[in-house]
Amino acid sequence: AQSVAQPEDQVNVAEGNPLTVKCTYSVSGNPYLFWYVQYPNRGLQFLLKYITGDNLVKGSYGFEAEFNKSQTSFHLKKPSALVSDSALYFCAVRDIDSSYKLIFGSGTRLLVRP
Amino acid sequence: NAGVTQTPKFQVLKTGQSMTLQCAQDMNHNSMYWYRQDPGMGLRLIYYSASEGTTDKGEVPNGYNVSRLNKREFSLRLESAAPSQTSVYFCASTPGENSPLHFGNGTRLTVT
């Protein structure tokens, strides 16, 4: 069965420092991977996706993610964190059995301190 | 652009009561979804509708029913609410497979 794991419940980083939010996946076949962000009392917003092509994917708000097939990872990164990046981040993978369905990780809370 | 609109924003029910959560999108998307979000568990798919006229069960469909009323609207019904259904419910839509989901702002439901 397909799955995605976010091993950290929370990531703390100082403003201006680089940030990484980790995601690993388990799928048969080629994975289609997504990152979403959720701000308080709001729905999820799409950040970026990997379907095929370059392993480094650029997305909204200066975020990027690196697809690593050998490590089955899709970590979210940003070179310089902002306090406004503080939010809940979700990794997701497309369900191989039904391309209309996404399987979400449990989420990682990012806290950027001034 | 309204995007995906969910009503109500908040609801408190007593065990055994019924209610319908409404969702409408104005982006002419084909596919619509209902998720629930619980702390530490991410989002779990309840039901989805790949296209108008079709609905399918997701990961946690028990205790829920859905109706794809037309291309714009996808409602979620709780026939007999239980405390285990206390959650935040999100509706989402997408133009097609592999396209990003667009989410509403959620309905916070408490069942006492």
Side-chain angles (χ1 to χ4, degrees), chain A residues 9-29:
Chain A
D9 290 335
Q10 182 162 314
V11 170
N12 298 308
V13 64
E15 187 173 32
N17 283 0
L19 69 88
T20 299
V21 182
K22 295 179 180 177
C23 172
T24 59
Y25 64 88
S26 174
V27 300
S28 54

Side-chain angles (χ1 to χ4, degrees), chain A residues 4 7 12 21 24 35 45 74-75 77 80 90-91 94 110 114:
Chain A
V4 62
N12 298 308
V21 182
T24 59
W35 274 103
Q45 296 176 31
F74 189 56
H75 300 332
K77 301 183 179 189
S80 179
F90 289 95
C91 183
R94 192 194 73 173
L110 174 66

Side-chain angles (χ1 to χ4, degrees), chain B residues 72-105:
Chain B
R72 290 186 63 248
E73 299 172 285
F74 188 40
S75 62
L76 178 72
R77 183 160 178 85
L78 287 70
E79 290 292 350
S80 179
S84 61
Q85 294 178 306
T86 293
S87 188
V88 182
Y89 291 85
F90 287 100
C91 179
S93 70
T94 182
E97 55 184 316
N98 299 328
S99 298
L101 296 176
H102 295 252
F103 283 84
N105 285 331

Side-chain angles (χ1 to χ4, degrees), chain B residues 32-51:
Chain B
M32 298 185 74
Y33 304 77
W34 277 105
Y35 285 90
R36 59 177 288 173
Q37 182 179 22
D38 302 291
M41 300 189 73
L43 274 76
R44 293 182 291 169
L45 182 64
I46 305 171
Y47 271 94
Y48 68 104
S49 171
S51 60

Side-chain angles (χ1 to χ4, degrees), chain A residues 32 34 36 38 41-44 46 49 51 88 90 94 98-102 104-106, chain B residues 31 33 35 37 40-43 45 48 50 57 90 97-101 103-105 108:
Chain A
Y32 288 12
F34 301 79
Y36 287 82
Q38 185 181 30
N41 300 314
R42 302 295 298 274
L44 279 68
F46 169 74
K49 68 178 180 181
I51 302 295
L88 190 56
F90 289 95
R94 192 194 73 173
S98 171
S99 59
Y100 292 96
K101 294 161 60 177
L102 284 184
F104 284 88
S106 56
Chain B
S31 305
Y33 304 77
Y35 285 90
Q37 182 179 22
M41 300 189 73
L43 274 76
L45 182 64
Y48 68 104
K57 295 179 180 179
F90 287 100
E97 55 184 316
N98 299 328
S99 298
L101 296 176
F103 283 84
N105 285 331
R108 188 173 295 274

